[in-house]
Amino acid sequence: MMITLPPAPRLVVMTKAPQPGRVKTRLIPALGAEGAAAMHTALVSATLDRVRRSGLDVVIAMGGDYQGAFARSLERQGFTVLPQAPGDLGERLKRALTGPGRRLAIGTDCPIFSPRWLADAAERPEPVVLGPAEDGGYWMICVDAPQDALFDDVPWSTEAVLKTTVDRAKAMGLAVHMAPTCYDIDTPLDLKRLLEDPRCPLGVRTVAR
């Protein structure tokens, strides 16, 4: 008898090409447009270093120029780079999480997570795992099979994102597990906090000097 194994969990890292003036814009007053783009690149690098150590199959969903020099540099590191879907974050997450088996998605604004947290999320029995962010959103989502309704009519970029998603999952009859909480790096105060955090990646410290 042939045994068919379930598809391996896949992790999608959602990020953007580091175009000055288009990324980490709230850091521009402190770092300038070029410095903010360099910080974005450092955060992407730190995130990818951690996801490699999770043991999961990783692809990158790139906003902006997904065939430019930055994308090519990631491909030379062994990553598959795909374009993000058009539309709001909900539409982009739907596309990223489409496919058989368990799927995870994270951004690149939270470089202090443990690779073990991702592996744990992939192994949990609950059909939905969320990594809460302190601002009311989430830094990671993990789902079994497509759950498109989780991403419809969510007030993105507000403090209600996490609660709305949890309430939606419960209304769909889906059990939810919470991974550890993290914080995003969006503002100069966030960056100061990160630089004082012993988990701060070396590359981020180097760029911030």
Side-chain angles (χ1 to χ4, degrees):
M1 177 184 297
M2 180 178 294
I3 299 176
T4 302
L5 298 176
R10 167 166 283 193
L11 170 62
V12 182
V13 178
M14 303 185 69
T15 192
K16 299 177 182 177
Q19 182 178 349
R22 301 292 296 273
V23 295
K24 308 312 295 176
T25 55
R26 284 186 279 176
L27 291 179
I28 290 177
L31 301 178
E34 295 286 345
M39 181 58 66
H40 171 77
T41 301
L43 292 170
V44 173
S45 178
T47 300
L48 295 178
D49 177 64
R50 279 170 158 76
V51 300
R52 276 191 189 276
R53 291 185 272 131
S54 72
L56 300 175
D57 177 33
V58 178
V59 299
I60 298 171
M62 179 80 65
D65 188 358
Y66 71 95
Q67 296 178 317
F70 184 62
R72 291 197 301 271
S73 73
L74 297 178
E75 290 173 340
R76 286 194 294 271
Q77 297 174 47
F79 293 104
T80 298
V81 180
L82 303 173
Q84 288 189 18
D88 66 10
L89 180 56
E91 293 302 315
R92 287 178 275 142
L93 282 169
K94 287 180 188 179
R95 172 72 66 84
L97 297 170
T98 296
R102 200 153 173 90
R103 299 277 172 138
L104 299 85
I106 66 169
T108 54
D109 290 336
C110 176
I112 59 168
F113 64 88
S114 165
R116 183 68 241 172
W117 298 349
L118 300 177
D120 286 345
E123 295 168 359
R124 293 290 311 183
E126 294 86 357
V128 179
V129 180
L130 292 165
E134 291 184 2
D135 63 4
Y138 52 80
W139 63 269
M140 180 271 294
I141 184 167
C142 175
V143 296
D144 269 337
Q147 303 290 355
D148 286 0
L150 284 177
F151 308 110
D152 291 332
D153 301 318
V154 174
W156 302 110
S157 300
T158 74
E159 61 184 16
V161 171
L162 181 69
K163 183 180 185 304
T164 300
T165 305
V166 171
D167 289 347
R168 184 75 50 77
K170 291 180 177 178
M172 296 167 63
L174 302 173
V176 178
H177 174 76
M178 292 295 183
T181 300
C182 284
Y183 60 92
D184 289 336
I185 311 305
D186 292 320
T187 68
L189 282 178
D190 296 330
L191 180 57
K192 180 177 184 294
R193 177 181 179 183
L194 177 61
L195 294 173
E196 295 171 351
D197 192 322
R199 298 171 293 180
C200 180
L202 177 60
V204 171
R205 294 188 189 280
T206 301
V207 171
R209 288 175 183 166

